[in-house]
Amino acid sequence: MPIAHTTSKSKAFIRLSMLVAGTGLAAAAWAAEPAPKDTTAANPLGGKATPAAPKAVPGQPRQITWEELVPKDWDPAKEFKGMDLSALDDGDPRANEMLMKMQEVSNNAPTNPAMNGTEVRIPGFIVPLEEAKGEVTEFLLVPYFGACIHTPPPPANQILHVVPQKGAKFRAMDTVWVTGKLQTLRNDSMMGVSGYHVSATSVTKYTGGAK
């Protein structure tokens, strides 16, 4: 159950946006590196696969993959295929124009209506939005380390806006399981645009596996 399919479509799109953003040699080197090892719903940190998630139990939240949040017919990079980035300098106005277009495509990434109203359980990384008394009271959940902080935000259909029932004692980029009702509800924040909202009944530390 790969998260990285999450992002098999969006990975190339994100790498392309970093290069166009003119982040210099670091971006070029990062984009040239091998793709990160596949992550899974049971193993969001990637690497060696862990046992598959158990089958859905009636009345219990359904463990989902990030891939399920993306409509199967959506291809964010189709409008940019065949473009020669080597012809663009960092200061080229065309690069800035392309970056703005990419951001628009990313921010308006369509959600999967079939997921609306589903009680789910999903792993990911925390990007805090609001904190009180040392606890995170509102955050974004993203599928890979560094998203929205060290790298450009993923497409909106790969960002969950999470409001837990009670504050959670976690920090930025901690890996957690989030359980709650998923809604196809857009939210704009300074850290990124999310296409989904989760009213979380629980936010627990990720310890590996499907347990």
Side-chain angles (χ1 to χ4, degrees):
M1 300 186 302
I3 283 184
H5 254 276
T6 231
T7 61
S8 60
K9 292 179 179 178
S10 56
K11 270 182 183 175
F13 182 70
I14 292 167
R15 290 185 177 191
L16 184 61
S17 68
M18 285 191 71
L19 286 171
V20 176
T23 50
L25 294 176
W30 179 77
E33 290 176 357
K37 292 182 179 180
D38 284 356
T39 55
T40 67
N43 185 26
L45 296 178
K48 186 177 179 181
T50 51
K55 293 182 179 180
V57 177
Q60 296 295 317
R62 179 162 70 89
Q63 187 172 309
I64 66 169
T65 68
W66 287 87
E67 181 183 16
E68 293 177 74
L69 302 177
V70 181
K72 292 182 179 180
D73 59 353
W74 182 65
D75 180 3
K78 66 180 180 181
E79 296 182 47
F80 308 100
K81 289 178 180 177
M83 290 186 175
D84 182 11
L85 296 181
S86 64
L88 300 178
D89 295 326
D90 285 357
D92 194 320
R94 292 175 298 171
N96 187 57
E97 183 180 339
M98 188 185 298
L99 182 62
M100 291 180 66
K101 186 175 182 179
M102 287 179 173
Q103 192 62 57
E104 182 180 359
V105 171
S106 181
N107 289 347
N108 291 287
T111 54
N112 181 356
M115 301 302 295
N116 191 43
T118 304
E119 292 285 343
V120 302
R121 183 172 185 257
I122 185 171
F125 297 87
I126 282 182
V127 178
L129 294 178
E130 297 288 344
E131 299 181 62
K133 298 180 180 180
E135 296 182 331
V136 178
T137 56
E138 182 181 353
F139 62 90
L140 301 181
L141 190 73
V142 294
Y144 56 87
F145 186 89
C148 301
I149 296 178
H150 303 300
T151 67
N157 56 24
Q158 293 291 276
I159 302 179
L160 278 58
H161 175 225
V162 181
V163 178
Q165 287 184 350
K166 59 181 181 178
K169 291 186 177 181
F170 292 104
R171 298 177 297 176
M173 288 297 122
D174 277 351
T175 319
V176 298
W177 287 102
V178 168
T179 302
K181 179 175 286 189
L182 185 71
Q183 293 177 290
T184 52
L185 182 64
R186 178 187 172 96
N187 181 71
D188 292 63
S189 76
M190 63 182 295
M191 301 303 290
V193 177
S194 53
Y196 293 94
H197 175 85
V198 178
S199 298
T201 55
S202 73
V203 180
T204 58
K205 182 179 179 180
Y206 175 81
T207 54
K211 295 181 180 180

